[in-house]
Amino acid sequence: MTPPPARRRRSGADGSAPAHNLPRRGAIRRAQAITTYGVGSLIAVDHESFVVSGLDGADEQWRIDEAPRIYERRLARILGVEHFRLPPASDESSKDGLRVRRFPLMHSCPDCNELRRHRDFNPPPGRSVCGTCEADLVPSRFVIACEAGHLDEFPYWQWVHRAAGRATTTAGQCGGTLMLRTSGHSASLRSIRVSCSCGVPEVSMEGSFRKHALKDLGLRCRGTRPWLGTSVPAEGCSLTPRTLQRGSSAVWQPVLKSALSIPPWSDGRADPLAPYWDRLRELESRAEVEDRLKFVFGDDLPVPVDEVMALLAAEREEDLTGEEAPSFDHRYRALRNKEYERLRAGNDERERSREEQFICETPLGDTTVLDGIGITGPMLVKKLREVRALKAFTRVADPDSVSEANEAELSSTALSWLPAMEVRGEGVFLRLAEGRLADWESVTEVAERAKRIRAAHRRVMEQRASDPTQVQPSPATPRMVLLHTLAHVLINEWSLDAGYPAAALRERLYADEEMAGLLVYTATTDSAGSLGGLVAQGEPDRLASTIRSAIRRASWCSADPLCIEAEASGTGGSNMAACHACVMLPETSCEHNNTLLDRALLVGTPENPELGYFADILRQ
């Protein structure tokens, strides 16, 4: 991050700037405001630390006139909003950007070693320095958070007074001043020493990261949400917080939901109707729909009534029926199912308008060249648009393993929109041959390897969750692990063959009882997004050559034999034969954070070559 020149300002009591004179503290890319530095995350700018403010509030709300609207009806519908907004871009001519608030408030001075709240150092306006020493203040390295998403200051006073039996009393009652120093003997927590001038023994930070360290002090989460501002009251919370490093990835993990724009919603013609869809769905007849549209728009309708009726019918087809209301996960899977059907079917020129944002065609070459390698149905996605929305975020726990109850909200009130970004690009879609896949899945050794990965993944999710009974089932089935690993080796191959950096490509997996496909597409918003180079790789002859080359390359790893013989690898053993020397990718390219991978399911093992789905390629 390279922040622009700092502007002088007068801080509020909590370090936030007055709304009428906001300074620039740094610069990030628009996409980072969704994926890396979204609402509730901590961001370091020079030697200062801030929390990104929420979407609403008197001084924290986004300036929506600088946050353009984007639409994706299918995704908006399951997220319960009308539309999405891009993060507000900020430049020298704009009025605003993203708002931030100083956090943590506890700072230390490297010269006098005092540890206190930022305002208690009496820093000059616009600067974060000790009012006495004029040394740059250092934000606390440690914060505490719980699985419900709450974030708070580390309880230094209680930590240093725990031996005196005053850990549960109000901080500061002793009248002393906290001091923090580093012994310099090592880089461990034992070298970080905290003391109080009241005379209690000096203690180190060793042991503060234990799971029950704060519970042993009798401390509970206070339910604080600093990203929503001081005017929002704390929530009731019965969880025990955990100590975290301020820069740890566990402090903030986004809950991202995405969708491809597919017909009939992908030409943008229905966007003006976004605020009215829910009301239109309640109407039963064409005449009622027409009357409602004329009441809103007059005689100048943005979309003909017949097209509106067709869109309503298409939306009702995606409704899940049953005795119980479908969960969010079921509705989100239904969204993927519809994408899979459209990618299989494609759309020809007769279905397109000039504004069409989804163009998917059958390759011109002979697809029978793929029959011998277990791949079928390649499609060239010459034009696509993906919308990725920030639904919420989590702390401490894995965002894929917790229930919606543990997702932290982006705003204190319900809004009709969510922050999102859009990606326009191209891709290649392919499927696994159903007959060959069914035979391969029936192999006992294949099921056993997937079972071990699934069990390890389940253990990791249970360890991270405060309530293991709320953990979602692991998605690690044989076909899912196979598709996931295949997508990784294809991305690695295309990054060498087609000139795309691996970080510019992304996978999208379609794996359940009725789906067995993958989409590899460009995942950036810059010039690498849609140049035709990736689509060219999807022609059958070239695709067959690429798959053969990728499988042969994956059959050997520079870490072999340790890699191919590994019984468990990766986070908590949630991978098997997979490492950074063979199949792992940049985190931005992977849907599952480089877990649930096993290259042995592609190529087999030295003891059992037939274990691999593509074992025939290696015999040729």
Side-chain angles (χ1 to χ4, degrees):
M1 180 186 306
T2 305
R7 298 178 179 178
R8 295 183 64 85
R9 52 97 176 186
R10 182 174 297 275
S11 299
D14 62 353
S16 62
H20 57 80
N21 186 27
L22 292 171
R24 287 182 198 278
R25 282 298 187 183
I28 60 172
R29 297 190 302 274
R30 217 169 200 167
Q32 287 180 301
I34 303 296
T35 59
T36 311
Y37 301 118
V39 171
S41 66
L42 297 184
I43 180 171
V45 182
D46 293 334
H47 60 277
E48 299 180 83
S49 175
F50 303 91
V51 61
V52 179
S53 295
L55 303 179
D56 62 352
D59 294 335
E60 291 81 26
Q61 65 184 4
W62 283 14
R63 289 189 64 94
I64 58 175
D65 56 335
E66 296 181 7
R69 290 189 183 192
I70 57 176
Y71 297 92
E72 171 45 52
R73 171 59 187 170
R74 297 169 62 248
L75 185 60
R77 180 186 170 201
I78 68 170
L79 293 177
V81 295
E82 292 179 0
H83 59 275
F84 304 99
R85 288 190 180 272
L86 295 173
S90 179
D91 53 35
E92 291 298 327
S93 62
S94 69
K95 299 177 181 178
D96 206 352
L98 291 180
R99 304 287 183 90
V100 297
R101 304 178 68 86
R102 188 179 301 282
F103 189 88
L105 298 181
M106 292 297 291
H107 285 61
S108 61
C109 173
D111 286 358
C112 64
N113 293 332
E114 289 190 1
L115 175 66
R116 56 176 70 201
R117 294 172 70 88
H118 183 271
R119 65 187 179 193
D120 294 335
F121 282 100
N122 296 316
R127 301 180 65 194
S128 181
V129 299
C130 178
T132 303
C133 308
E134 296 191 356
D136 288 338
L137 296 176
V138 180
S140 169
R141 283 178 52 185
F142 310 106
V143 296
I144 61 174
C146 75
E147 288 89 343
H150 302 132
L151 184 67
D152 207 347
E153 307 279 347
F154 182 82
Y156 286 103
W157 194 90
Q158 288 87 345
W159 183 254
V160 77
H161 288 84
R162 68 186 189 276
R166 289 179 283 173
T168 59
T169 57
T170 305
Q173 283 187 344
C174 67
T177 300
L178 293 177
M179 310 289 285
L180 184 145
R181 68 180 184 87
T182 303
S183 66
H185 296 307
S186 69
S188 68
L189 293 174
R190 184 178 298 179
S191 294
I192 302 175
R193 316 290 296 183
V194 184
S195 62
C196 181
S197 61
C198 72
V200 296
E202 183 181 58
V203 300
S204 74
M205 291 296 294
E206 186 177 25
S208 59
F209 281 75
R210 288 187 300 108
K211 186 172 184 179
H212 299 293
L214 301 181
K215 182 178 181 179
D216 293 342
L217 295 180
L219 299 179
R220 291 287 184 180
C221 178
R222 299 192 303 164
T224 54
R225 297 174 290 175
W227 66 96
L228 297 181
T230 55
S231 60
V232 177
E235 288 185 318
C237 184
S238 60
L239 300 176
T240 300
R242 297 274 299 275
T243 304
L244 300 171
Q245 291 268 16
R246 173 166 50 87
S248 167
S249 60
V251 171
W252 188 85
Q253 284 288 331
V255 179
L256 296 175
K257 301 300 177 183
S258 65
L260 300 181
S261 295
I262 60 173
W265 304 94
S266 51
D267 59 6
R269 288 167 54 84
D271 291 351
L273 302 179
Y276 312 106
W277 280 118
D278 290 337
R279 182 64 183 273
L280 291 172
R281 278 176 57 88
E282 298 174 356
L283 306 178
E284 297 181 358
S285 68
R286 184 184 187 281
E288 290 177 316
V289 171
E290 184 174 9
D291 289 343
R292 179 64 183 173
L293 291 174
K294 288 184 176 181
F295 175 78
V296 175
F297 297 100
D299 293 329
D300 188 17
L301 300 182
V303 183
V305 178
D306 289 338
E307 288 190 25
V308 174
M309 297 303 295
L311 289 170
L312 289 172
E315 185 170 287
R316 291 188 179 106
E317 285 181 7
E318 296 188 35
D319 289 343
L320 296 177
T321 58
E323 295 181 1
E324 297 183 1
S327 66
F328 177 85
D329 289 335
H330 281 88
R331 289 182 285 132
Y332 192 59
R333 284 197 294 269
L335 180 146
R336 287 286 181 111
N337 291 341
K338 204 66 178 179
E339 290 178 8
Y340 183 74
E341 293 174 9
R342 176 54 71 170
L343 287 166
R344 289 188 61 173
N347 60 338
D348 58 32
E349 294 182 1
R350 292 172 297 178
E351 299 178 12
R352 300 179 200 158
S353 65
R354 179 174 297 180
E355 295 79 18
E356 180 60 58
Q357 300 173 94
F358 179 85
I359 298 178
C360 182
E361 298 177 347
T362 304
L364 298 176
D366 182 10
T367 59
T368 59
V369 298
L370 296 169
D371 292 345
I373 58 177
I375 298 295
T376 188
M379 299 294 287
L380 308 182
V381 188
K382 295 185 175 180
K383 191 175 182 181
L384 64 80
R385 172 180 178 260
E386 181 195 20
V387 175
R388 299 178 199 158
L390 178 61
K391 176 176 180 280
F393 63 88
T394 66
R395 304 196 195 276
V396 184
D398 186 337
D400 294 326
S401 69
V402 298
S403 65
E404 290 188 77
N406 283 342
E407 293 177 356
E409 299 292 337
L410 306 180
S411 60
S412 58
T413 57
L415 299 177
S416 63
W417 57 276
L418 286 172
M421 58 179 287
E422 59 180 350
V423 174
R424 300 173 188 269
E426 59 184 2
V428 175
F429 173 75
L430 55 88
R431 294 180 287 123
L432 300 178
E434 295 178 4
R436 180 166 175 172
L437 178 62
D439 293 339
W440 175 81
E441 286 179 314
S442 65
V443 177
T444 303
E445 292 83 354
V446 169
E448 284 298 321
R449 290 185 75 92
K451 182 178 179 180
R452 274 184 277 175
I453 293 175
R454 187 163 55 250
H457 189 219
R458 174 83 183 184
R459 285 195 301 270
V460 171
M461 294 190 294
E462 289 177 348
Q463 290 169 3
R464 293 178 175 177
S466 58
D467 185 359
T469 62
Q470 297 297 318
V471 171
Q472 301 295 319
S474 171
T477 61
R479 71 172 60 192
M480 182 271 166
V481 177
L482 173 64
L483 284 166
H484 190 199
T485 312
L486 176 61
H488 277 228
V489 300
L490 283 176
I491 289 174
N492 279 330
E493 192 69 19
W494 278 330
S495 71
L496 298 172
D497 246 8
Y500 285 93
L505 301 177
R506 185 174 172 86
E507 66 182 6
R508 194 168 181 86
L509 305 179
Y510 300 90
D512 65 15
E513 294 82 358
E514 300 177 354
M515 300 189 297
L518 64 89
L519 172 68
V520 175
Y521 61 105
T522 51
T524 61
T525 54
D526 60 14
S527 58
S530 184
L531 301 178
L534 184 58
V535 164
Q537 304 300 315
E539 287 295 339
D541 287 338
R542 184 171 291 182
L543 180 59
S545 175
T546 297
I547 291 174
R548 289 190 175 93
S549 176
I551 295 304
R552 292 191 180 102
R553 195 185 305 276
S555 67
W556 184 85
C557 171
S558 60
D560 281 342
L562 296 178
C563 179
I564 195 65
E565 295 177 355
E567 294 295 325
S569 65
T571 304
S574 51
N575 290 331
M576 290 192 72
C579 70
H580 285 285
C582 52
V583 300
M584 287 190 177
L585 293 176
E587 295 289 346
T588 55
S589 300
C590 179
E591 284 193 316
H592 296 281
N593 298 314
N594 276 327
T595 61
L596 313 182
L597 296 165
D598 184 11
R599 135 178 101 89
L601 295 184
L602 296 180
V603 301
T605 63
E607 296 78 14
N608 188 3
E610 300 304 316
L611 185 70
Y613 181 84
F614 296 101
D616 291 347
I617 291 178
L618 301 178
R619 288 196 295 265
Q620 295 173 1

